[in-house]
PDB file of all heavy atoms in Angstrom:
ATOM      1  N   LEU V  37      -1.949 -23.520  39.188  1.00 86.00           N
ATOM      2  CA  LEU V  37      -3.097 -22.619  39.294  1.00 86.00           C
ATOM      3  C   LEU V  37      -3.034 -21.604  38.163  1.00 86.00           C
ATOM      4  O   LEU V  37      -1.983 -21.024  37.919  1.00 86.00           O
ATOM      5  CB  LEU V  37      -3.084 -21.896  40.641  1.00 86.00           C
ATOM      6  CG  LEU V  37      -3.356 -22.756  41.872  1.00 86.00           C
ATOM      7  CD1 LEU V  37      -3.149 -21.942  43.140  1.00 86.00           C
ATOM      8  CD2 LEU V  37      -4.771 -23.312  41.840  1.00 86.00           C
ATOM      9  N   HIS V  42      -6.142 -16.657  39.393  1.00 91.00           N
ATOM     10  CA  HIS V  42      -5.613 -16.563  40.758  1.00 91.00           C
ATOM     11  C   HIS V  42      -5.582 -15.140  41.313  1.00 91.00           C
ATOM     12  O   HIS V  42      -5.635 -14.956  42.534  1.00 91.00           O
ATOM     13  CB  HIS V  42      -4.211 -17.175  40.798  1.00 91.00           C
ATOM     14  CG  HIS V  42      -3.691 -17.348  42.188  1.00 91.00           C
ATOM     15  ND1 HIS V  42      -4.259 -18.227  43.086  1.00 91.00           N
ATOM     16  CD2 HIS V  42      -2.664 -16.738  42.835  1.00 91.00           C
ATOM     17  CE1 HIS V  42      -3.595 -18.160  44.229  1.00 91.00           C
ATOM     18  NE2 HIS V  42      -2.629 -17.263  44.108  1.00 91.00           N
ATOM     19  N   GLU V  57     -26.134 -14.300  35.631  1.00 78.00           N
ATOM     20  CA  GLU V  57     -25.997 -14.547  34.197  1.00 78.00           C
ATOM     21  C   GLU V  57     -25.233 -13.403  33.547  1.00 78.00           C
ATOM     22  O   GLU V  57     -24.434 -13.597  32.645  1.00 78.00           O
ATOM     23  CB  GLU V  57     -27.378 -14.696  33.561  1.00 78.00           C
ATOM     24  CG  GLU V  57     -28.003 -16.032  33.920  1.00 78.00           C
ATOM     25  CD  GLU V  57     -29.440 -16.130  33.485  1.00 78.00           C
ATOM     26  OE1 GLU V  57     -29.808 -15.488  32.489  1.00 78.00           O
ATOM     27  OE2 GLU V  57     -30.202 -16.840  34.157  1.00 78.00           O
ATOM     28  N   GLU V  58     -25.538 -12.189  33.998  1.00 84.00           N
ATOM     29  CA  GLU V  58     -24.774 -11.025  33.548  1.00 84.00           C
ATOM     30  C   GLU V  58     -24.843  -9.955  34.627  1.00 84.00           C
ATOM     31  O   GLU V  58     -25.783  -9.927  35.422  1.00 84.00           O
ATOM     32  CB  GLU V  58     -25.293 -10.501  32.203  1.00 84.00           C
ATOM     33  CG  GLU V  58     -26.745 -10.162  32.201  1.00 84.00           C
ATOM     34  CD  GLU V  58     -27.242  -9.734  30.823  1.00 84.00           C
ATOM     35  OE1 GLU V  58     -26.424  -9.606  29.899  1.00 84.00           O
ATOM     36  OE2 GLU V  58     -28.451  -9.508  30.697  1.00 84.00           O
ATOM     37  N   ASP V  60     -23.482  -5.689  35.594  1.00 88.00           N
ATOM     38  CA  ASP V  60     -22.823  -4.491  35.078  1.00 88.00           C
ATOM     39  C   ASP V  60     -21.604  -4.110  35.923  1.00 88.00           C
ATOM     40  O   ASP V  60     -21.413  -4.594  37.035  1.00 88.00           O
ATOM     41  CB  ASP V  60     -23.827  -3.345  34.865  1.00 88.00           C
ATOM     42  CG  ASP V  60     -24.035  -2.483  36.091  1.00 88.00           C
ATOM     43  OD1 ASP V  60     -23.699  -2.929  37.187  1.00 88.00           O
ATOM     44  OD2 ASP V  60     -24.544  -1.367  35.934  1.00 88.00           O
ATOM     45  N   THR V  68     -17.157  -5.758  44.952  1.00 90.00           N
ATOM     46  CA  THR V  68     -15.761  -6.082  45.263  1.00 90.00           C
ATOM     47  C   THR V  68     -15.072  -4.957  46.018  1.00 90.00           C
ATOM     48  O   THR V  68     -13.981  -5.146  46.559  1.00 90.00           O
ATOM     49  CB  THR V  68     -14.958  -6.358  43.968  1.00 90.00           C
ATOM     50  OG1 THR V  68     -15.078  -5.226  43.097  1.00 90.00           O
ATOM     51  CG2 THR V  68     -15.463  -7.603  43.260  1.00 90.00           C
ATOM     52  N   LYS V  98     -28.280   6.395  30.060  1.00 75.00           N
ATOM     53  CA  LYS V  98     -26.997   6.126  30.714  1.00 75.00           C
ATOM     54  C   LYS V  98     -26.319   4.882  30.128  1.00 75.00           C
ATOM     55  O   LYS V  98     -26.963   3.850  29.967  1.00 75.00           O
ATOM     56  CB  LYS V  98     -27.209   5.950  32.214  1.00 75.00           C
ATOM     57  CG  LYS V  98     -27.657   7.250  32.864  1.00 75.00           C
ATOM     58  CD  LYS V  98     -27.874   7.105  34.335  1.00 75.00           C
ATOM     59  CE  LYS V  98     -28.321   8.431  34.906  1.00 75.00           C
ATOM     60  NZ  LYS V  98     -28.688   8.362  36.304  1.00 75.00           N
TER      61      LYS V  98
ATOM     62  N   MET E  30       0.549 -20.239  37.682  1.00 43.00           N
ATOM     63  CA  MET E  30       1.457 -19.966  38.804  1.00 43.00           C
ATOM     64  C   MET E  30       2.344 -21.179  39.006  1.00 43.00           C
ATOM     65  O   MET E  30       1.858 -22.240  39.352  1.00 43.00           O
ATOM     66  CB  MET E  30       0.651 -19.670  40.060  1.00 43.00           C
ATOM     67  CG  MET E  30       1.493 -19.329  41.232  1.00 43.00           C
ATOM     68  SD  MET E  30       0.487 -18.664  42.561  1.00 43.00           S
ATOM     69  CE  MET E  30       0.292 -17.009  41.976  1.00 43.00           C
ATOM     70  N   ARG E  47      -7.907 -17.571  49.365  1.00 90.00           N
ATOM     71  CA  ARG E  47      -8.611 -17.593  48.069  1.00 90.00           C
ATOM     72  C   ARG E  47      -9.938 -18.348  48.188  1.00 90.00           C
ATOM     73  O   ARG E  47     -10.953 -17.934  47.629  1.00 90.00           O
ATOM     74  CB  ARG E  47      -7.751 -18.259  46.983  1.00 90.00           C
ATOM     75  CG  ARG E  47      -6.530 -17.471  46.566  1.00 90.00           C
ATOM     76  CD  ARG E  47      -6.929 -16.165  45.916  1.00 90.00           C
ATOM     77  NE  ARG E  47      -5.836 -15.542  45.205  1.00 90.00           N
ATOM     78  CZ  ARG E  47      -4.874 -14.799  45.762  1.00 90.00           C
ATOM     79  NH1 ARG E  47      -4.879 -14.594  47.066  1.00 90.00           N
ATOM     80  NH2 ARG E  47      -3.927 -14.253  45.038  1.00 90.00           N
ATOM     81  N   ARG E 112     -33.519   6.419  39.270  1.00 69.00           N
ATOM     82  CA  ARG E 112     -32.859   6.179  37.979  1.00 69.00           C
ATOM     83  C   ARG E 112     -32.092   7.414  37.516  1.00 69.00           C
ATOM     84  O   ARG E 112     -31.026   7.314  36.931  1.00 69.00           O
ATOM     85  CB  ARG E 112     -33.903   5.796  36.919  1.00 69.00           C
ATOM     86  CG  ARG E 112     -33.817   4.323  36.519  1.00 69.00           C
ATOM     87  CD  ARG E 112     -34.454   4.062  35.183  1.00 69.00           C
ATOM     88  NE  ARG E 112     -35.798   4.572  35.080  1.00 69.00           N
ATOM     89  CZ  ARG E 112     -36.886   3.885  35.406  1.00 69.00           C
ATOM     90  NH1 ARG E 112     -36.772   2.665  35.863  1.00 69.00           N
ATOM     91  NH2 ARG E 112     -38.081   4.404  35.248  1.00 69.00           N
ATOM     92  N   PRO E 117     -27.207   3.237  36.875  1.00 54.00           N
ATOM     93  CA  PRO E 117     -27.932   1.983  36.924  1.00 54.00           C
ATOM     94  C   PRO E 117     -27.038   0.840  37.410  1.00 54.00           C
ATOM     95  O   PRO E 117     -25.920   0.688  36.930  1.00 54.00           O
ATOM     96  CB  PRO E 117     -28.348   1.759  35.466  1.00 54.00           C
ATOM     97  CG  PRO E 117     -27.420   2.578  34.659  1.00 54.00           C
ATOM     98  CD  PRO E 117     -27.003   3.722  35.524  1.00 54.00           C
ATOM     99  N   TYR E 119     -26.946  -3.086  37.711  1.00 65.00           N
ATOM    100  CA  TYR E 119     -27.718  -4.133  37.074  1.00 65.00           C
ATOM    101  C   TYR E 119     -27.043  -5.486  37.212  1.00 65.00           C
ATOM    102  O   TYR E 119     -25.847  -5.625  37.020  1.00 65.00           O
ATOM    103  CB  TYR E 119     -27.866  -3.796  35.588  1.00 65.00           C
ATOM    104  CG  TYR E 119     -28.536  -4.859  34.768  1.00 65.00           C
ATOM    105  CD1 TYR E 119     -29.914  -4.952  34.745  1.00 65.00           C
ATOM    106  CD2 TYR E 119     -27.783  -5.760  34.032  1.00 65.00           C
ATOM    107  CE1 TYR E 119     -30.536  -5.933  33.989  1.00 65.00           C
ATOM    108  CE2 TYR E 119     -28.395  -6.734  33.277  1.00 65.00           C
ATOM    109  CZ  TYR E 119     -29.767  -6.815  33.253  1.00 65.00           C
ATOM    110  OH  TYR E 119     -30.381  -7.781  32.511  1.00 65.00           O
ATOM    111  N   ASN E 121     -28.351  -9.733  36.401  1.00 70.00           N
ATOM    112  CA  ASN E 121     -29.458 -10.566  35.944  1.00 70.00           C
ATOM    113  C   ASN E 121     -29.146 -12.015  36.276  1.00 70.00           C
ATOM    114  O   ASN E 121     -28.266 -12.618  35.687  1.00 70.00           O
ATOM    115  CB  ASN E 121     -29.623 -10.392  34.425  1.00 70.00           C
ATOM    116  CG  ASN E 121     -30.782 -11.184  33.890  1.00 70.00           C
ATOM    117  OD1 ASN E 121     -31.645 -11.624  34.634  1.00 70.00           O
ATOM    118  ND2 ASN E 121     -30.807 -11.386  32.589  1.00 70.00           N
ATOM    119  N   ALA E 237     -12.838  -7.775  49.289  1.00 48.00           N
ATOM    120  CA  ALA E 237     -12.063  -8.097  48.080  1.00 48.00           C
ATOM    121  C   ALA E 237     -11.252  -6.907  47.590  1.00 48.00           C
ATOM    122  O   ALA E 237     -11.797  -5.912  47.147  1.00 48.00           O
ATOM    123  CB  ALA E 237     -13.002  -8.537  46.967  1.00 48.00           C
TER     124      ALA E 237
END
Side-chain angles (χ1 to χ4, degrees):
Chain V
L37 291 173
H42 190 66
E57 286 171 29
E58 56 184 354
D60 88 342
T68 56
K98 293 180 180 174
Chain E
M30 182 168 280
R47 291 296 195 278
R112 251 201 308 270
Y119 175 82
N121 182 16

